[in-house]
Amino acid sequence: MRAQDSATRLRAITVPTSAPGGTLPAALAVVAFSLSFPATAMALEGFGPWTVTGVRGLVAGLLAAACLAAARVPRPERRHLPDLLTVAGGCGIAFPLFTALALRTSDTGHSAVVIGILPLATAVISSLLTGGRPSRTFWTAAGIGAVAVIAFTLGRAGGPPTPGDGYLFAAVLAAAAGYARGGRLASHLPGWQVIGWAVVAALPVSAAVTVGGLTVEPVDPGPGALAGLLYLAAVSQFGGFVLWYRGMALIGVPRASQLQLAQPLLTLVWAVLLMGERLPASAPLTAVVVLACVVVTQRSRA
């Protein structure tokens, strides 16, 4: 009976369900995440990258701890700890730190290249973890979408990859592992508990990084920097993930991950509206290609 239950849970991860509105939570999460790079750039105007990483994790962890305590949620089982620690390390510490370090030398639009690779990386890692076999149509559309976004962001930067792209590549690996493991765990726990326990588990590291960052980095908090940091803590680090893991549990990790193909374009829109960056002429064509790939991945067997 237990083996049958495990098989059912595995299918819930790798095979999209027909739950009505299953795509909506993941799509809303992508919109929320698309503001993360502009918010990070704003926060870096008043804080150093280590301080930004530590404070956003610390505030998110305390917020999650309060929510878990108010709901009287029991502690997760020991068998869930490896997945939770992967989410904590990948999404709670490594991804925020590497992207903050990259944004010191790269603009918001160029740094969005990390999102261009992330959907494909997440689908690959999820398939390796679960043994799932998405269709050839799915992989083709995912690959074309990733190439389109990468070509767009690198072309917009006007040159080859920069040293900061090393941080972005590390961020991709960290986030993809956290997304895949967290998406798998969301078939056992509610999505908000997955990210809630993960950021709580990361609290000791977040506190240490905060203290270290405040000790060695200059601090000049203005309204914009504080607003960016608050958004990162409340939405990028916690609220957005509640929707993200819920969406993954409903429609599967591979299919949900491909919705993020639209994230770099959304990030560019926010960069234009909030930071005065120019909209390149290639954006509309790239948007059409990406949206077509997203439609194909959502309709194919994932």
Side-chain angles (χ1 to χ4, degrees):
M1 186 69 177
R2 184 171 298 177
Q4 184 178 1
D5 291 342
S6 299
T8 301
R9 290 167 179 166
L10 179 59
R11 286 194 297 270
I13 302 168
T14 56
V15 179
T17 70
S18 57
T23 303
L24 182 60
L28 292 176
V30 169
V31 175
F33 290 153
S34 69
L35 272 163
S36 295
F37 278 177
T40 301
M42 293 170 60
L44 289 173
E45 294 178 358
F47 305 93
W50 290 88
T51 303
V52 170
T53 301
V55 171
R56 68 182 277 184
L58 185 62
V59 174
L62 294 175
L63 177 62
C67 292
L68 291 167
R72 297 182 179 180
V73 177
R75 291 184 178 181
E77 299 177 23
R78 186 181 296 273
R79 63 192 177 97
H80 295 152
L81 290 181
D83 286 341
L84 284 175
L85 291 178
T86 301
V87 176
C91 300
I93 301 296
F95 183 82
L97 177 60
F98 289 138
T99 53
L101 290 171
L103 282 169
R104 293 185 305 170
T105 57
S106 301
D107 64 25
T108 303
H110 177 75
S111 296
V113 69
V114 69
I115 304 302
I117 306 172
L118 183 54
L120 185 59
T122 302
V124 169
I125 292 178
S126 174
S127 296
L128 292 175
L129 285 175
T130 64
R133 294 177 178 271
S135 67
R136 184 175 300 177
T137 301
F138 174 90
W139 286 121
T140 300
I144 292 174
V147 169
V149 172
I150 293 170
F152 170 73
T153 51
L154 291 181
R156 182 172 179 270
T162 65
D165 290 330
Y167 288 123
L168 296 173
F169 180 72
V172 165
L173 296 179
Y179 286 178
R181 296 291 288 266
R184 179 172 68 173
L185 186 57
S187 65
H188 302 274
L189 299 175
W192 77 273
Q193 293 183 24
V194 172
I195 188 58
W197 285 118
V199 293
V200 167
L203 270 175
V205 177
S206 298
V209 172
T210 299
V211 173
L214 291 174
T215 301
V216 301
E217 294 177 336
V219 176
D220 184 21
L226 290 173
L229 192 56
L230 180 61
Y231 185 90
L232 292 173
V235 181
S236 299
Q237 197 83 354
F238 184 56
F241 274 104
V242 172
L243 296 170
W244 185 235
Y245 287 131
R246 174 61 176 168
M248 284 188 167
L250 287 172
I251 63 176
V253 175
R255 177 180 282 184
S257 69
Q258 299 313 300
L259 292 173
Q260 277 199 311
L261 286 170
Q263 187 167 325
L265 299 175
L266 291 173
T267 297
L268 179 60
V269 171
W270 296 125
V272 170
L273 295 177
L274 301 178
M275 308 176 72
E277 297 187 13
R278 294 183 59 186
L279 181 67
S282 58
L285 177 59
T286 306
V288 171
V289 174
V290 166
L291 290 177
C293 292
V294 169
V295 170
V296 171
T297 59
Q298 299 308 295
R299 292 185 176 182
S300 64
R301 183 178 62 82

